Amino acid sequence: TAMLLTSRPASTDLADAATRRLLQLAEAELGPAPVPWLWAACGSQGRREQTGVSDQDNCLILGDAATPADDAYFEAMARIVSDGLNRAGFVYCPGEMMATNPRWRQPRRVWQGYFRDWIAQPDDMAQMLASVMFDLRPIAGEMALFDDLHAQTLAMARGNSIFLRHMIGNALKHAPPLTLFRGLSTIRSGAHRNTLDLKIAGVVPVVDLARIYALRGGVEAANTRERIVAARDLGVISRTGAHDLLDAYDLIAETRLRHQAALIARGAAPDNYLAPEALSDLERSHLRDAFLVVKTMQSALGQGG
């Protein structure tokens, strides 16, 4: 598992390979594209952090010469790829953040406008969309369409202190599951009562921290570990803080993967909900320590550190 955490999960490799093959099949069926295009992954695939319960998040960035008449081609391309990924187990995004949605299948100039508006007016929806789209990673197509857009967007975000403050506030909403006295705080009601959500309360707080560090430092990497390492090297965070946060992230992510693997081994569907009693006393202690590291880093960020 450690090898997977320090590079990228096998599920992301599979999703990337499947996406590239489906794009080849789409071009073989549809013929040459009318304008240059770039297919990009966002969300967990963009960060190279997919697990057994990840859906697909993707988009198409088109050359600025694209016209409305060209959209039929790219709509068909997006449908072929998205349907193929769904059949392969990378299910449709419930929020339709996919290239099959016309909103996420636009010329580069429109994408520039999206990011410019999100950064200029950082309301809750803009922050949510920016959080997903700042994790873009090119998969196939004309890479120049991504490079210029990405560099411009990072520069805009880094130079807007109001936007960064809003992003920080949004990131701090995802708190690690700790009680006032540093015990593990489980979900209190509903279908997942008495469990820990290892995604929303586990890995997401670290992902959010790393994204803020990347924005502050102008780091182009999308992967969470790579962002933390780059932020450390740039002096955005201390070497000690980065070391502790990387260890905490690895432990939380490994616990999540082991939980999912255990469910699959029993013939059950993988999920993110772990009952603390499934862990040994030592494992629970280590997990509490990892969550405490994340909480400490969040506090430092909230105080301007």
Side-chain angles (χ1 to χ4, degrees):
T1 304
M3 285 292 290
L4 295 178
L5 293 174
T6 54
S7 56
R8 57 185 179 270
S11 58
T12 298
D13 286 340
L14 290 172
D16 287 0
T19 300
R20 293 188 183 106
R21 180 56 180 153
L22 287 162
L23 285 165
Q24 291 173 349
L25 294 173
E27 285 195 301
E29 178 179 334
L30 301 172
V35 296
W37 55 271
L38 180 123
W39 185 281
C42 48
S44 59
Q45 186 185 358
R47 295 190 306 273
R48 296 179 297 176
E49 293 164 7
Q50 285 182 300
T51 70
V53 290
S54 296
D55 56 16
Q56 54 176 288
D57 296 290
N58 47 61
C59 64
L60 267 168
I61 303 170
L62 310 179
D64 281 336
T67 67
D70 296 325
D71 189 59
Y73 177 96
F74 292 108
E75 180 182 14
M77 170 187 274
R79 179 56 59 193
I80 290 170
V81 176
S82 185
D83 288 350
L85 288 173
N86 185 66
R87 288 193 296 270
F90 301 100
V91 298
Y92 300 122
C93 173
E96 295 190 33
M97 194 163 284
M98 301 177 292
T100 49
N101 183 339
R103 186 178 189 185
W104 310 128
R105 186 179 68 244
Q106 292 290 336
R108 178 179 169 277
R109 65 179 182 277
V110 176
W111 282 100
Q112 286 178 306
Y114 286 164
F115 282 108
R116 184 173 59 248
D117 291 346
W118 295 336
I119 293 169
Q121 298 180 330
D123 58 20
D124 289 345
M125 180 59 71
Q127 290 170 44
M128 185 276 289
L129 294 172
S131 294
V132 174
M133 291 301 175
F134 272 124
D135 298 346
L136 282 177
R137 180 171 58 88
I139 302 297
E142 181 56 59
M143 296 299 161
L145 291 172
F146 174 81
D147 293 339
D148 291 345
L149 176 67
H150 195 214
Q152 291 173 6
T153 300
L154 285 176
M156 281 193 296
R158 189 181 184 190
N160 190 314
S161 59
I162 295 175
F163 173 75
L164 285 174
R165 286 200 298 271
H166 277 275
M167 289 291 288
I168 289 169
N170 189 58
L172 298 182
K173 293 176 182 177
H174 296 128
L178 291 171
T179 66
L180 183 62
F181 299 103
R182 299 182 180 178
L184 291 175
S185 176
T186 59
I187 298 171
R188 295 184 177 182
S189 62
H192 304 295
R193 185 172 178 268
N194 296 328
T195 66
L196 302 169
D197 186 337
L198 293 176
K199 177 182 178 181
I200 300 301
V203 298
V204 166
V206 185
V207 169
D208 287 345
L209 283 170
R211 187 182 298 111
I212 298 298
Y213 300 149
L215 290 174
R216 280 183 164 181
V219 175
E220 294 190 2
N223 177 262
T224 296
R225 289 190 104 265
E226 292 174 5
R227 282 172 164 172
I228 296 171
V229 169
R232 175 201 67 193
D233 294 344
L234 289 167
V236 175
I237 53 174
S238 70
R239 300 191 71 83
T240 299
H243 183 276
D244 289 347
L245 188 59
L246 287 169
D247 282 352
Y249 177 61
D250 285 350
L251 178 63
I252 296 166
E254 182 174 347
T255 301
R256 182 189 182 200
L257 290 173
R258 288 186 184 280
H259 166 68
Q260 292 180 358
L263 288 173
I264 293 170
R266 297 200 302 266
D271 62 30
N272 294 301
Y273 302 101
L274 172 69
E277 58 266 25
L279 302 173
S280 69
D281 289 345
L282 183 61
E283 288 171 328
R284 284 197 296 272
S285 177
H286 286 328
L287 193 59
R288 277 194 300 268
D289 288 344
F291 288 143
L292 184 58
V293 167
V294 178
K295 185 176 181 62
T296 300
M297 296 298 286
Q298 284 186 328
S299 297
L301 184 65
Q303 294 166 8

